[in-house]
Amino acid sequence: MSGSNSSDASFARAPGLSPEAGGDHPLGLTVHNLPEAGSAVAHAQNTRHGRWKMLAVLLVCAAPVIASYFTYYVVRPDGRRNYGELVQPQRPLPDLATATLDGALGQLPALKGQWLLVSVAGGACDAQCQQHLYLQRQLRESVGKEKDRVDWVWLVTDAAPLPADLSAALQKATVLRVDGGALAQWLEPAAGHALAEHLYLVDPMGNWMMRFPAGMDAAGAAKAKRDLERLLRASSSWDEAGRPGQP
């Protein structure tokens, strides 16, 4: 090939090089210096140090959350027991479609960023449903200045119209219609009970983490309040009122 002939001729004309017998030409080699072992080791060490620094930053950011949950779930120096049943493992909010009463569409994970007191019932809202709505409102109000960190949520599992006389009472509630069958894949009642018999608690990270006993009355609500207050105190170092990105 012409490229090969040209390359051979240039080798033959190079100063200090003479063709070998038989017309063969010497093979020119370029030797590249290898990096010194010391710099290669230093580079590897710097890479490891960078990874450890990144891990340390992540741990520092997560430490308040981890510490608050460790305090609530594990460290109980006074031997107190919680009234609500802890959900293990916690269950994150599913990508479940929602609709407001005026038809605006959304997704259930949009509720992240607040503590959520959740009730479940059909739109007709029987006596048990109305009792739950009353207790939700009272529990939220009872935590005083911390109430802005708590939302009370009614998940309506059908298309039935709501009683007209509830409108005023629900002004500060979040009321969303959801598919009841899909909701039952996330929330779960205690054995022998229905989904609508409980109140549920979801943390600001969007995890269902507590279920209050079925048929909760005023005395039970006072115990639920103590659970809620302890959780609000334990999370005060990392949780603030309002959802990120919202005024």
Side-chain angles (χ1 to χ4, degrees), residues 56-71:
V57 169
L58 292 175
L59 288 175
V60 168
C61 294
V65 179
I66 295 171
S68 63
Y69 276 91
F70 182 82
T71 300

Side-chain angles (χ1 to χ4, degrees), residues 11 16 33 60 63 69 71 85 113 117 141 197 207 224 231 239-240:
F11 272 122
N33 291 332
V60 168
Y69 276 91
T71 300
E85 179 184 355
L117 273 169
E141 293 296 324
E197 294 182 52
N207 297 309
L231 283 164
D239 174 51
E240 297 180 354

Side-chain angles (χ1 to χ4, degrees), residues 70-242:
F70 182 82
T71 300
Y72 187 81
Y73 290 125
V74 181
V75 180
R76 294 179 180 272
D78 55 4
R80 289 179 302 183
R81 295 181 60 84
N82 46 281
Y83 173 67
E85 179 184 355
L86 295 174
V87 176
Q88 296 287 357
Q90 299 172 3
R91 301 184 186 183
L93 284 162
D95 290 326
L96 184 59
T98 64
T100 63
L101 297 181
D102 58 6
L105 302 180
Q107 294 288 323
L108 203 58
L111 297 178
K112 285 183 180 180
Q114 290 278 86
W115 287 95
L116 307 176
L117 273 169
V118 180
S119 63
V120 179
C125 198
D126 59 15
Q128 177 180 256
C129 164
Q130 295 189 32
Q131 171 75 352
H132 278 168
L133 294 176
Y134 169 76
L135 292 175
Q136 285 173 276
R137 182 179 63 188
Q138 294 302 103
L139 278 168
R140 180 179 182 272
E141 293 296 324
S142 71
V143 297
K145 65 180 182 180
E146 300 295 343
K147 70 180 182 180
D148 290 335
R149 295 169 57 197
V150 182
D151 286 351
W152 56 296
V153 180
W154 176 17
L155 298 180
V156 183
T157 55
D158 58 25
L162 274 57
D165 59 355
L166 287 183
S167 297
L170 295 173
Q171 290 299 313
K172 295 185 179 180
T174 299
V175 183
L176 298 171
R177 294 190 188 273
V178 298
D179 180 81
L183 185 66
Q185 301 300 310
W186 174 51
L187 297 178
E188 182 179 353
H193 294 280
L195 203 62
E197 294 182 52
H198 299 276
L199 289 181
Y200 305 88
L201 188 63
V202 177
D203 70 21
M205 293 177 288
N207 297 309
W208 169 40
M209 49 76 63
M210 183 173 282
R211 177 178 60 209
F212 292 113
M216 188 168 68
D217 55 12
K223 298 175 183 177
K225 175 190 173 185
R226 290 195 290 271
D227 282 352
L228 183 56
E229 287 175 333
R230 288 201 296 269
L231 283 164
L232 289 170
R233 283 196 301 270
S235 61
S236 61
S237 64
W238 55 270
D239 174 51
E240 297 180 354

Side-chain angles (χ1 to χ4, degrees), residues 6-44:
S6 172
S7 179
D8 289 346
S10 65
F11 272 122
R13 291 193 299 270
L17 293 179
S18 58
E20 297 289 339
D24 293 330
H25 302 292
L27 179 63
L29 298 176
T30 302
V31 178
H32 298 279
N33 291 332
L34 296 174
E36 295 183 2
S39 63
V41 171
H43 177 72

